[in-house]
Amino acid sequence: MMSTIVVVEKEGFATIAADSLTTWGSAKESAEYILNHQKILRIGESYLAISGPTSAKLAIKDYFANKPDADLTSVDTIFRTWLKLHAALKDHYFLNPNEDRNDAFESTRIDALIANAHGIFGVEAHRVVQQFSRYYAYGTGWQHALAGCGKTSISQSRSIY
C-alpha cells in the first residue's frame, strides 16, 4: 500500500495527517469509493497514523479497542506497547514478520506516527521509537514531505491541543 503520513508541531499545537489513496500494484483506489479509507486512528488521547499494509489498520484498530489504557506517552512506554502489539499481530492477526532474512529483528511492516499532549513520536517497522521535535513523515514520498516540497494531497488531518 502506498501511504504518506506526516506529523507537525508548532507553538504547542500538533497536526497529524495522512493521504487517503490505497494502491494494489498498479491499481489505485480513491477515498471517493472506499468509505473506511481513514489512516488515522484515535487511541485514547492520542492520534495514530499508519503507513503499511491495508490490513494493518484494521488489526491495529481492533487491538487498541481492547486496550483503552494503552500508554503512548513516551518513547519507553510506546516501545513496550509495540512489543505487545507485535506479539498480538503475530499470534492473533496472522502477521507474516519475514521481511528480510538479514534483519536482526522481525518486522511489523508498519510505520506509525503518534501525536498527543506528550509530543510527537514515530514507530518504525522494527520497533524503533523516536520522539521528534517539530515534524516527521513516513511512507511513500517521506523524503519529499521532510524536505517540505511534497505535492501529496492531504485529505484528513487532526489537530492536537
Coordinates of all heavy atoms in Angstrom, one line a residue, residues 15-103:
T15 N -0.4 18.7 14.4 CA -1.3 18.2 13.4 C -0.8 17.0 12.8 O 0.4 16.9 12.5 CB -1.5 19.3 12.3 OG1 -2.1 20.4 12.9 CG2 -2.5 18.7 11.2
I16 N -1.6 16.0 12.7 CA -1.2 14.7 12.1 C -2.1 14.5 10.8 O -3.3 14.8 10.9 CB -1.3 13.5 13.1 CG1 -0.7 12.3 12.6 CG2 -2.8 13.3 13.5 CD1 -0.5 11.2 13.6
A17 N -1.5 14.0 9.8 CA -2.2 13.9 8.5 C -1.8 12.7 7.7 O -0.7 12.2 7.9 CB -1.9 15.2 7.6
A18 N -2.7 12.2 6.9 CA -2.5 11.1 6.1 C -3.2 11.2 4.7 O -4.2 11.9 4.7 CB -3.0 9.8 6.7
D19 N -2.6 10.7 3.7 CA -3.3 10.7 2.4 C -4.5 9.6 2.5 O -4.6 8.9 3.5 CB -2.4 10.4 1.3 CG -1.9 8.9 1.3 OD1 -2.1 8.2 2.3 OD2 -1.2 8.6 0.3
S20 N -5.3 9.5 1.5 CA -6.4 8.6 1.6 C -6.4 7.6 0.4 O -7.4 6.9 0.2 CB -7.7 9.3 1.7 OG -7.8 10.2 0.5
L21 N -5.3 7.6 -0.4 CA -5.2 6.7 -1.5 C -4.8 5.3 -1.1 O -3.8 5.2 -0.3 CB -4.2 7.3 -2.5 CG -4.1 6.5 -3.8 CD1 -5.3 6.5 -4.6 CD2 -2.9 7.1 -4.6
T22 N -5.4 4.3 -1.6 CA -4.9 2.9 -1.4 C -4.5 2.3 -2.7 O -5.2 2.6 -3.7 CB -6.1 2.0 -0.8 OG1 -6.4 2.6 0.5 CG2 -5.6 0.6 -0.6
T23 N -3.4 1.7 -2.8 CA -2.9 1.1 -4.0 C -2.8 -0.4 -3.9 O -2.4 -0.9 -2.8 CB -1.6 1.7 -4.5 OG1 -0.6 1.4 -3.5 CG2 -1.7 3.2 -4.8
W24 N -3.0 -1.2 -4.9 CA -2.8 -2.6 -5.0 C -2.0 -2.8 -6.3 O -2.6 -2.8 -7.4 CB -4.1 -3.4 -5.0 CG -4.9 -3.2 -3.8 CD1 -5.9 -2.3 -3.6 CD2 -4.7 -4.0 -2.6 NE1 -6.4 -2.5 -2.3 CE2 -5.7 -3.5 -1.7 CE3 -3.9 -5.1 -2.2 CZ2 -5.8 -4.1 -0.4 CZ3 -4.0 -5.6 -1.0 CH2 -5.0 -5.1 -0.1
G25 N -0.7 -2.9 -6.3 CA 0.1 -3.0 -7.5 C -0.1 -1.7 -8.3 O 0.2 -0.6 -7.8
S26 N -0.6 -1.8 -9.5 CA -0.8 -0.6 -10.3 C -2.2 0.0 -10.1 O -2.5 1.1 -10.6 CB -0.5 -0.9 -11.8 OG -1.4 -1.8 -12.2
A27 N -3.0 -0.7 -9.4 CA -4.4 -0.2 -9.2 C -4.4 0.8 -8.1 O -3.7 0.7 -7.1 CB -5.3 -1.4 -8.8
K28 N -5.2 1.8 -8.2 CA -5.3 2.9 -7.2 C -6.8 3.0 -6.8 O -7.7 3.1 -7.7 CB -4.8 4.2 -7.8 CG -3.4 4.2 -8.1 CD -2.9 5.5 -8.7 CE -1.4 5.4 -9.0 NZ -0.9 6.7 -9.6
E29 N -7.1 3.0 -5.5 CA -8.4 3.1 -5.0 C -8.6 4.4 -4.3 O -8.0 4.6 -3.3 CB -8.7 1.9 -4.1 CG -8.7 0.6 -4.7 CD -8.9 -0.6 -3.8 OE1 -8.7 -0.4 -2.6 OE2 -9.4 -1.6 -4.3
S30 N -9.4 5.3 -4.8 CA -9.6 6.6 -4.3 C -10.5 6.5 -3.0 O -11.4 5.6 -3.0 CB -10.3 7.5 -5.3 OG -10.8 8.6 -4.8
A31 N -10.4 7.4 -2.1 CA -11.3 7.5 -1.0 C -12.7 7.8 -1.4 O -13.6 7.6 -0.7 CB -10.8 8.6 0.0
E32 N -12.9 8.3 -2.6 CA -14.2 8.5 -3.2 C -15.0 7.2 -3.2 O -16.2 7.3 -3.1 CB -14.1 9.1 -4.6 CG -15.4 9.4 -5.3 CD -15.2 10.0 -6.6 OE1 -14.0 10.3 -7.0 OE2 -16.2 10.2 -7.4
Y33 N -14.4 6.1 -3.3 CA -15.0 4.8 -3.5 C -14.9 3.9 -2.2 O -15.6 2.9 -2.1 CB -14.5 4.0 -4.7 CG -14.7 4.8 -5.9 CD1 -13.5 5.4 -6.6 CD2 -15.9 5.1 -6.5 CE1 -13.7 6.1 -7.7 CE2 -16.1 5.9 -7.6 CZ -14.9 6.4 -8.2 OH -15.1 7.1 -9.4
I34 N -14.0 4.2 -1.3 CA -13.7 3.4 -0.1 C -14.2 4.2 1.1 O -13.6 5.2 1.4 CB -12.2 3.1 0.0 CG1 -11.7 2.5 -1.3 CG2 -12.0 2.2 1.2 CD1 -12.3 1.2 -1.7
L35 N -15.2 3.8 1.8 CA -15.8 4.5 2.9 C -14.9 4.5 4.1 O -14.8 5.4 4.9 CB -17.2 4.0 3.2 CG -18.2 4.3 2.1 CD1 -19.6 3.7 2.5 CD2 -18.3 5.8 1.8
N36 N -14.2 3.4 4.3 CA -13.3 3.3 5.5 C -11.9 3.5 5.1 O -11.0 2.7 5.4 CB -13.5 1.9 6.2 CG -13.2 0.7 5.3 OD1 -13.3 0.8 4.1 ND2 -12.6 -0.3 5.9
H37 N -11.6 4.6 4.5 CA -10.2 4.9 4.0 C -9.3 5.6 5.0 O -8.1 5.7 4.7 CB -10.4 5.8 2.7 CG -10.9 7.1 3.1 ND1 -12.3 7.4 3.1 CD2 -10.4 8.3 3.4 CE1 -12.5 8.6 3.4 NE2 -11.4 9.2 3.6
Q38 N -9.8 5.9 6.1 CA -9.0 6.7 7.1 C -7.8 5.9 7.6 O -7.9 4.7 7.9 CB -9.9 7.0 8.3 CG -11.0 8.0 8.0 CD -12.3 7.2 7.5 OE1 -12.3 6.0 7.4 NE2 -13.3 8.0 7.1
K39 N -6.7 6.6 7.6 CA -5.4 6.0 8.1 C -5.0 6.6 9.4 O -3.9 6.4 9.9 CB -4.3 6.2 7.0 CG -4.6 5.5 5.7 CD -3.6 5.8 4.7 CE -4.0 5.2 3.3 NZ -3.2 5.6 2.2
I40 N -5.9 7.4 10.0 CA -5.6 8.0 11.3 C -6.6 7.4 12.3 O -7.8 7.4 12.1 CB -5.7 9.5 11.3 CG1 -4.7 10.1 10.3 CG2 -5.5 10.1 12.7 CD1 -4.9 11.6 10.1
L41 N -6.1 6.9 13.4 CA -6.9 6.3 14.5 C -6.8 7.1 15.7 O -5.7 7.6 16.0 CB -6.5 4.9 14.8 CG -6.5 3.9 13.6 CD1 -5.8 2.6 14.0 CD2 -7.9 3.7 13.0
R42 N -7.9 7.2 16.5 CA -7.8 7.8 17.8 C -7.7 6.7 18.8 O -8.5 5.8 18.9 CB -9.0 8.6 18.1 CG -8.9 9.3 19.5 CD -9.7 10.5 19.6 NE -9.3 11.1 20.9 CZ -9.8 12.2 21.4 NH1 -10.8 12.8 20.6 NH2 -9.5 12.7 22.5
I43 N -6.6 6.7 19.6 CA -6.3 5.7 20.7 C -6.2 6.5 22.0 O -5.2 7.2 22.2 CB -5.0 5.0 20.4 CG1 -4.9 4.5 19.0 CG2 -4.8 3.9 21.5 CD1 -5.9 3.4 18.6
G44 N -7.3 6.5 22.8 CA -7.3 7.3 24.0 C -7.2 8.8 23.6 O -8.0 9.3 22.9
E45 N -6.2 9.4 24.2 CA -5.9 10.8 23.9 C -4.9 11.0 22.8 O -4.4 12.2 22.7 CB -5.5 11.5 25.2 CG -6.5 11.5 26.3 CD -7.8 12.2 25.9 OE1 -7.7 13.3 25.3 OE2 -8.9 11.7 26.2
S46 N -4.5 10.0 22.1 CA -3.5 10.0 21.1 C -4.2 9.8 19.7 O -5.2 9.2 19.6 CB -2.5 9.0 21.3 OG -1.8 9.1 22.5
Y47 N -3.5 10.4 18.7 CA -3.9 10.1 17.3 C -2.7 9.3 16.7 O -1.5 9.7 16.9 CB -4.1 11.4 16.5 CG -5.4 12.0 17.0 CD1 -5.4 13.0 18.0 CD2 -6.6 11.7 16.4 CE1 -6.6 13.6 18.4 CE2 -7.8 12.2 16.8 CZ -7.8 13.2 17.8 OH -9.0 13.8 18.2
L48 N -3.0 8.3 15.9 CA -2.0 7.4 15.4 C -2.3 7.3 13.9 O -3.4 7.0 13.5 CB -2.2 6.0 16.1 CG -1.2 5.0 15.6 CD1 -0.5 4.5 16.9 CD2 -1.9 3.8 15.0
A49 N -1.3 7.6 13.1 CA -1.4 7.5 11.6 C -0.5 6.3 11.2 O 0.6 6.1 11.7 CB -0.9 8.7 10.9
I50 N -1.0 5.5 10.2 CA -0.4 4.2 9.9 C 0.0 4.3 8.4 O -0.8 4.7 7.5 CB -1.4 3.1 10.1 CG1 -1.8 3.0 11.6 CG2 -0.8 1.8 9.6 CD1 -3.0 2.1 11.8
S51 N 1.2 3.8 8.1 CA 1.7 3.5 6.8 C 2.1 2.1 6.7 O 3.0 1.6 7.5 CB 2.9 4.4 6.4 OG 3.4 4.1 5.1
G52 N 1.5 1.3 5.9 CA 1.8 -0.1 5.8 C 0.6 -0.8 5.1 O -0.2 -0.2 4.4
P53 N 0.6 -2.1 5.2 CA -0.5 -2.9 4.6 C -1.9 -2.4 5.0 O -2.1 -2.0 6.2 CB -0.3 -4.4 5.1 CG 1.1 -4.4 5.6 CD 1.4 -3.0 6.0
T54 N -2.8 -2.5 4.1 CA -4.2 -2.1 4.4 C -4.8 -2.8 5.6 O -5.5 -2.3 6.5 CB -5.1 -2.3 3.2 OG1 -4.5 -1.6 2.1 CG2 -6.5 -1.8 3.4
S55 N -4.5 -4.1 5.7 CA -5.0 -4.9 6.8 C -4.4 -4.5 8.2 O -5.0 -4.7 9.2 CB -4.6 -6.4 6.6 OG -3.3 -6.6 6.4
A56 N -3.3 -3.8 8.2 CA -2.7 -3.3 9.4 C -3.6 -2.3 10.2 O -3.8 -2.4 11.4 CB -1.4 -2.6 9.2
K57 N -4.3 -1.5 9.4 CA -5.2 -0.5 10.0 C -6.3 -1.2 10.8 O -6.6 -0.9 12.0 CB -5.8 0.4 9.0 CG -6.9 1.3 9.5 CD -7.5 2.1 8.4 CE -8.3 1.3 7.5 NZ -9.1 1.9 6.5
L58 N -6.9 -2.3 10.2 CA -8.0 -3.0 10.9 C -7.4 -3.8 12.1 O -8.1 -3.8 13.2 CB -8.6 -4.0 9.9 CG -9.3 -3.3 8.7 CD1 -9.8 -4.3 7.7 CD2 -10.5 -2.4 9.2
A59 N -6.3 -4.4 12.0 CA -5.7 -5.1 13.1 C -5.4 -4.2 14.2 O -5.7 -4.5 15.4 CB -4.5 -5.9 12.6
I60 N -4.7 -3.1 13.9 CA -4.3 -2.1 15.0 C -5.6 -1.5 15.7 O -5.6 -1.4 16.9 CB -3.4 -1.1 14.4 CG1 -2.0 -1.7 14.2 CG2 -3.2 0.1 15.4 CD1 -1.0 -0.9 13.5
K61 N -6.5 -1.2 14.9 CA -7.8 -0.6 15.4 C -8.4 -1.6 16.4 O -8.8 -1.3 17.5 CB -8.7 -0.2 14.3 CG -10.0 0.4 14.7 CD -10.9 0.7 13.5 CE -12.2 1.3 14.0 NZ -13.1 1.6 12.8
D62 N -8.5 -2.9 15.9 CA -9.1 -3.9 16.8 C -8.3 -4.1 18.0 O -8.8 -4.2 19.1 CB -9.2 -5.2 16.0 CG -10.0 -6.3 16.8 OD1 -11.2 -6.1 17.0 OD2 -9.3 -7.3 17.2
Y63 N -7.0 -4.2 17.9 CA -6.1 -4.4 19.1 C -6.3 -3.3 20.1 O -6.5 -3.6 21.3 CB -4.6 -4.5 18.6 CG -3.6 -4.6 19.7 CD1 -3.4 -5.8 20.4 CD2 -3.0 -3.4 20.2 CE1 -2.5 -5.9 21.4 CE2 -2.1 -3.5 21.3 CZ -1.9 -4.8 21.9 OH -1.0 -4.9 22.9
F64 N -6.2 -2.1 19.7 CA -6.3 -1.0 20.7 C -7.7 -0.8 21.2 O -7.9 -0.2 22.3 CB -5.8 0.3 20.1 CG -4.3 0.4 20.1 CD1 -3.5 0.4 18.9 CD2 -3.6 0.4 21.3 CE1 -2.2 0.4 18.9 CE2 -2.2 0.5 21.3 CZ -1.5 0.5 20.2
A65 N -8.8 -1.3 20.5 CA -10.1 -1.2 21.0 C -10.2 -2.0 22.3 O -11.0 -1.7 23.2 CB -11.1 -1.8 20.0
N66 N -9.4 -3.0 22.4 CA -9.4 -3.9 23.6 C -8.3 -3.4 24.6 O -8.1 -4.1 25.6 CB -9.1 -5.3 23.3 CG -10.2 -5.9 22.4 OD1 -11.4 -5.7 22.7 ND2 -9.9 -6.4 21.3
K67 N -7.7 -2.3 24.4 CA -6.6 -1.8 25.3 C -6.8 -0.3 25.5 O -6.0 0.6 25.1 CB -5.2 -2.0 24.6 CG -4.9 -3.3 24.2 CD -4.4 -4.2 25.3 CE -3.9 -5.5 24.8 NZ -4.9 -6.5 24.8
P68 N -8.0 0.1 26.1 CA -8.3 1.6 26.2 C -7.2 2.3 27.1 O -7.1 3.5 27.0 CB -9.6 1.6 26.9 CG -9.8 0.3 27.5 CD -8.9 -0.7 26.7
D69 N -6.5 1.6 27.9 CA -5.5 2.3 28.7 C -4.1 2.2 28.2 O -3.1 2.3 28.9 CB -5.5 1.7 30.1 CG -5.3 0.1 30.1 OD1 -5.4 -0.5 29.0 OD2 -5.0 -0.4 31.2
A70 N -3.9 1.9 26.9 CA -2.6 1.8 26.2 C -1.8 3.1 26.5 O -2.4 4.2 26.3 CB -2.7 1.5 24.8
D71 N -0.6 3.0 26.9 CA 0.3 4.1 27.2 C 1.1 4.5 26.0 O 2.1 3.8 25.6 CB 1.1 3.8 28.4 CG 1.8 5.0 29.0 OD1 1.9 6.1 28.3 OD2 2.3 4.9 30.1
L72 N 0.8 5.6 25.4 CA 1.5 6.2 24.2 C 2.1 7.5 24.6 O 2.1 8.4 23.7 CB 0.6 6.2 23.0 CG -0.1 4.9 22.6 CD1 -1.1 5.2 21.5 CD2 0.9 3.9 22.1
T73 N 2.7 7.7 25.8 CA 3.1 9.0 26.3 C 4.6 9.2 26.2 O 5.0 10.3 26.5 CB 2.6 9.2 27.7 OG1 3.1 8.2 28.5 CG2 1.1 9.2 27.7
S74 N 5.4 8.2 26.0 CA 6.9 8.4 26.0 C 7.5 7.3 25.1 O 6.9 6.3 24.7 CB 7.5 8.3 27.4 OG 7.4 6.9 27.8
V75 N 8.8 7.5 24.7 CA 9.5 6.6 23.9 C 9.5 5.2 24.6 O 9.2 4.2 23.9 CB 10.9 7.0 23.6 CG1 11.8 5.9 23.0 CG2 10.9 8.3 22.8
D76 N 9.7 5.1 25.9 CA 9.8 3.8 26.5 C 8.4 3.1 26.6 O 8.4 1.9 26.4 CB 10.4 4.0 28.0 CG 11.8 4.4 27.9 OD1 12.5 4.2 27.0 OD2 12.3 5.1 28.9
T77 N 7.4 3.9 26.9 CA 6.1 3.2 27.0 C 5.5 2.8 25.7 O 4.9 1.8 25.5 CB 5.0 4.1 27.8 OG1 4.9 5.3 27.0 CG2 5.5 4.4 29.2
I78 N 5.8 3.6 24.6 CA 5.4 3.2 23.3 C 6.2 2.0 22.8 O 5.6 1.1 22.3 CB 5.6 4.4 22.3 CG1 4.7 5.6 22.6 CG2 5.4 3.9 20.9 CD1 5.0 6.9 21.9
F79 N 7.5 1.9 23.1 CA 8.2 0.7 22.8 C 7.6 -0.5 23.4 O 7.4 -1.5 22.8 CB 9.7 0.9 23.2 CG 10.5 -0.3 23.0 CD1 10.9 -0.7 21.7 CD2 10.9 -1.1 24.0 CE1 11.7 -1.8 21.5 CE2 11.7 -2.3 23.8 CZ 12.1 -2.6 22.5
R80 N 7.3 -0.5 24.7 CA 6.7 -1.6 25.4 C 5.3 -2.0 24.8 O 5.0 -3.1 24.7 CB 6.6 -1.4 26.9 CG 8.0 -1.4 27.6 CD 7.9 -1.4 29.1 NE 7.5 -0.2 29.7 CZ 8.3 0.9 29.9 NH1 9.6 0.8 29.7 NH2 7.8 2.0 30.5
T81 N 4.6 -0.9 24.5 CA 3.3 -1.2 23.9 C 3.4 -1.9 22.5 O 2.7 -2.8 22.2 CB 2.5 0.2 23.7 OG1 2.3 0.7 25.0 CG2 1.2 0.0 23.0
W82 N 4.4 -1.4 21.8 CA 4.7 -2.0 20.4 C 5.2 -3.4 20.5 O 4.9 -4.2 19.6 CB 5.6 -1.1 19.6 CG 4.9 -0.7 18.3 CD1 5.1 -1.1 17.1 CD2 3.8 0.3 18.2 NE1 4.3 -0.5 16.2 CE2 3.5 0.4 16.9 CE3 3.1 1.1 19.1 CZ2 2.5 1.2 16.4 CZ3 2.1 1.9 18.7 CH2 1.8 2.0 17.3
L83 N 5.9 -3.8 21.6 CA 6.3 -5.2 21.8 C 5.1 -6.1 21.9 O 5.0 -7.1 21.3 CB 7.2 -5.3 23.0 CG 8.6 -4.8 22.8 CD1 9.4 -4.9 24.2 CD2 9.4 -5.5 21.7
K84 N 4.1 -5.6 22.7 CA 2.9 -6.4 22.9 C 2.1 -6.4 21.7 O 1.5 -7.4 21.3 CB 2.1 -5.8 24.1 CG 2.8 -5.9 25.4 CD 2.0 -5.1 26.5 CE 2.8 -5.1 27.8 NZ 2.1 -4.2 28.8
L85 N 2.0 -5.3 21.0 CA 1.3 -5.2 19.7 C 1.9 -6.2 18.7 O 1.1 -6.9 18.0 CB 1.3 -3.8 19.1 CG 0.7 -3.6 17.7 CD1 -0.7 -4.0 17.7 CD2 1.0 -2.2 17.2
H86 N 3.2 -6.2 18.6 CA 3.9 -7.1 17.6 C 3.5 -8.6 17.9 O 3.2 -9.3 17.0 CB 5.4 -6.9 17.6 CG 6.1 -7.8 16.6 ND1 6.1 -7.5 15.3 CD2 6.8 -8.9 16.7 CE1 6.8 -8.4 14.6 NE2 7.2 -9.3 15.5
A87 N 3.6 -9.0 19.2 CA 3.2 -10.3 19.6 C 1.8 -10.6 19.2 O 1.5 -11.7 18.7 CB 3.5 -10.6 21.0
A88 N 0.9 -9.7 19.5 CA -0.5 -9.9 19.1 C -0.7 -10.0 17.6 O -1.5 -10.8 17.1 CB -1.4 -8.8 19.7
L89 N 0.0 -9.1 16.8 CA -0.2 -9.2 15.4 C 0.2 -10.6 14.8 O -0.4 -11.1 13.9 CB 0.7 -8.1 14.7 CG 0.2 -6.7 14.9 CD1 1.2 -5.7 14.4 CD2 -1.1 -6.5 14.2
K90 N 1.3 -11.2 15.4 CA 1.7 -12.5 15.0 C 0.7 -13.6 15.5 O 0.3 -14.4 14.7 CB 3.1 -12.8 15.6 CG 4.2 -12.1 14.9 CD 5.5 -12.3 15.5 CE 5.8 -13.7 15.9 NZ 7.1 -13.9 16.5
D91 N 0.3 -13.5 16.7 CA -0.5 -14.6 17.3 C -2.0 -14.5 17.0 O -2.6 -15.6 16.9 CB -0.3 -14.6 18.8 CG 1.1 -14.9 19.3 OD1 1.9 -15.4 18.5 OD2 1.4 -14.6 20.5
H92 N -2.5 -13.3 16.9 CA -4.0 -13.2 16.7 C -4.4 -12.7 15.3 O -5.5 -12.9 14.9 CB -4.6 -12.3 17.8 CG -4.3 -12.8 19.2 ND1 -4.9 -14.0 19.7 CD2 -3.5 -12.4 20.1 CE1 -4.4 -14.2 20.9 NE2 -3.6 -13.3 21.2
Y93 N -3.5 -12.0 14.7 CA -3.9 -11.4 13.4 C -3.1 -11.9 12.2 O -3.2 -11.4 11.1 CB -3.7 -9.8 13.4 CG -4.5 -9.2 14.5 CD1 -4.0 -8.9 15.8 CD2 -5.9 -8.9 14.3 CE1 -4.8 -8.3 16.8 CE2 -6.7 -8.4 15.3 CZ -6.1 -8.1 16.5 OH -6.9 -7.5 17.5
F94 N -2.2 -12.9 12.5 CA -1.5 -13.7 11.5 C -0.5 -12.9 10.6 O -0.3 -13.1 9.4 CB -2.5 -14.4 10.5 CG -3.5 -15.2 11.3 CD1 -4.8 -14.7 11.5 CD2 -3.2 -16.4 11.9 CE1 -5.7 -15.4 12.2 CE2 -4.1 -17.1 12.7 CZ -5.4 -16.6 12.8
L95 N 0.2 -11.9 11.3 CA 1.2 -11.2 10.7 C 2.3 -12.1 10.2 O 2.8 -13.0 10.9 CB 1.8 -10.2 11.7 CG 3.1 -9.5 11.2 CD1 2.8 -8.4 10.2 CD2 3.8 -8.8 12.4
N96 N 2.8 -11.9 9.0 CA 4.0 -12.6 8.5 C 5.2 -11.6 8.7 O 5.3 -10.7 8.0 CB 3.8 -12.9 7.0 CG 5.1 -13.5 6.4 OD1 6.1 -13.8 7.1 ND2 5.0 -13.7 5.1
P97 N 6.0 -11.9 9.7 CA 7.1 -10.9 10.1 C 8.3 -11.1 9.3 O 9.3 -10.4 9.5 CB 7.3 -11.3 11.5 CG 7.1 -12.7 11.6 CD 5.9 -13.0 10.7
N98 N 8.3 -12.0 8.3 CA 9.5 -12.3 7.5 C 9.7 -11.3 6.3 O 9.1 -11.5 5.3 CB 9.5 -13.7 7.0 CG 9.3 -14.7 8.1 OD1 10.0 -14.6 9.2 ND2 8.5 -15.7 7.9
E99 N 10.5 -10.3 6.6 CA 10.7 -9.3 5.5 C 12.0 -9.5 4.8 O 12.1 -9.6 3.6 CB 10.6 -7.9 6.1 CG 10.5 -6.8 5.1 CD 10.2 -5.4 5.7 OE1 10.0 -5.3 6.9 OE2 10.2 -4.5 4.9
D100 N 13.1 -9.6 5.6 CA 14.4 -9.8 5.0 C 15.2 -10.7 6.0 O 15.3 -10.5 7.2 CB 15.1 -8.5 4.9 CG 16.5 -8.5 4.2 OD1 17.0 -9.7 4.1 OD2 17.0 -7.5 3.8
R101 N 15.8 -11.8 5.5 CA 16.5 -12.7 6.3 C 17.7 -12.1 7.0 O 18.1 -12.6 8.1 CB 17.0 -13.9 5.4 CG 15.9 -14.8 4.9 CD 16.5 -15.9 4.1 NE 17.5 -16.6 4.9 CZ 18.4 -17.4 4.4 NH1 18.4 -17.7 3.1 NH2 19.3 -17.9 5.1
N102 N 18.2 -11.0 6.5 CA 19.3 -10.3 7.2 C 18.9 -9.3 8.3 O 19.8 -8.8 8.9 CB 20.2 -9.6 6.1 CG 20.8 -10.6 5.2 OD1 21.2 -11.7 5.6 ND2 20.8 -10.2 3.9
D103 N 17.6 -9.1 8.5 CA 17.2 -8.2 9.5 C 17.5 -8.8 10.9 O 17.3 -10.0 11.1 CB 15.7 -8.0 9.4 CG 15.3 -7.0 8.3 OD1 16.2 -6.3 7.8 OD2 14.1 -7.0 7.9

